[in-house]
Amino acid sequence: MASAGPPFDLQCTHEGLTALVRAIRREEDGKLLRRELAKNMREALKPGAAMAKSGIMSMPSAGTGMGPGLRAGIAKKIRPEVKLGGRWTGARVKAFKTPGLRGFANAPKRTNRRDGGWRTLTYGHEPWRTQYGKRHWFDEAFENDAAAYRAAVHEAMEDMARRLAARAG
């Protein structure tokens, strides 16, 4: 007799995760199981978030010592995010906006982009100057290990699916 798998198709895709969440909702303690699945998926992505934080902290600084640090402010806003319902279901590492950081809400996006940079006021010289960040600091953090993070998230999903299958008998 072959070992019985979960009573639903599980793939490391949005559809597979949606099927898993649907199966969890049918359980008595579904809310607790969803919370545990989200926690395990976030834990799987924490090393990637740490690499992204390391990437922004390695950006060169022309620090004037005025106001909060740009790199540290961006690093504080990088964290794994898991949503198990609603319009978007999935797991990702996200660099959230930084509205309180010198009025520079899009700092993570601007410092990571390929071209341009961002304009800042300069006192005593030209009125505006273009400042450049460390290009692709966020993208490079996941470049070599994307498959490992995907596999870790998939493993968290598999563990929960096995638990549900064992309950079903």
Side-chain angles (χ1 to χ4, degrees):
M1 184 170 143
S3 123
F8 48 87
D9 182 33
L10 176 66
Q11 299 171 1
C12 192
T13 62
H14 292 292
E15 293 81 17
L17 184 57
T18 303
L20 179 60
V21 171
R22 257 190 258 121
I24 288 173
R25 282 188 182 143
R26 287 191 290 262
E27 294 295 318
E28 237 176 72
D29 57 345
K31 193 177 273 191
L32 182 65
L33 291 174
R34 280 179 61 183
R35 194 175 307 136
E36 185 178 336
L37 175 62
K39 178 182 173 248
N40 292 341
M41 290 171 76
R42 273 192 305 274
E43 288 295 323
L45 292 174
K46 275 190 178 177
M51 290 295 292
K53 287 178 183 184
S54 173
I56 188 58
M57 292 305 287
S58 69
M59 183 176 87
S61 172
T64 59
M66 315 256 314
L70 179 65
R71 296 173 302 159
I74 294 171
K76 283 181 187 176
K77 293 291 194 165
I78 298 172
R79 58 185 170 266
E81 178 186 44
V82 175
K83 289 189 179 181
L84 300 175
R87 290 183 182 198
W88 179 82
T89 299
R92 63 185 173 190
V93 175
K94 187 173 178 183
F96 291 87
K97 287 191 173 194
T98 54
L101 186 63
R102 303 183 197 166
F104 192 15
N106 289 322
K109 179 180 171 182
R110 297 283 185 239
T111 56
N112 187 54
R113 73 184 204 180
R114 237 178 245 242
D115 54 343
W118 65 94
R119 291 178 41 147
T120 58
L121 280 173
T122 304
Y123 299 100
H125 301 301
E126 293 289 325
W128 289 94
R129 69 183 172 115
T130 302
Q131 194 170 352
Y132 300 97
K134 180 181 178 194
R135 295 187 174 126
H136 303 294
W137 59 266
F138 191 82
D139 303 332
E140 287 173 357
F142 304 99
E143 198 170 76
N144 297 327
D145 299 328
Y149 301 130
R150 192 174 293 117
V153 168
H154 188 258
E155 184 61 32
M157 291 169 57
E158 284 280 344
D159 288 343
M160 185 58 69
R162 278 190 226 107
R163 283 180 57 187
L164 292 176
R167 284 182 174 195

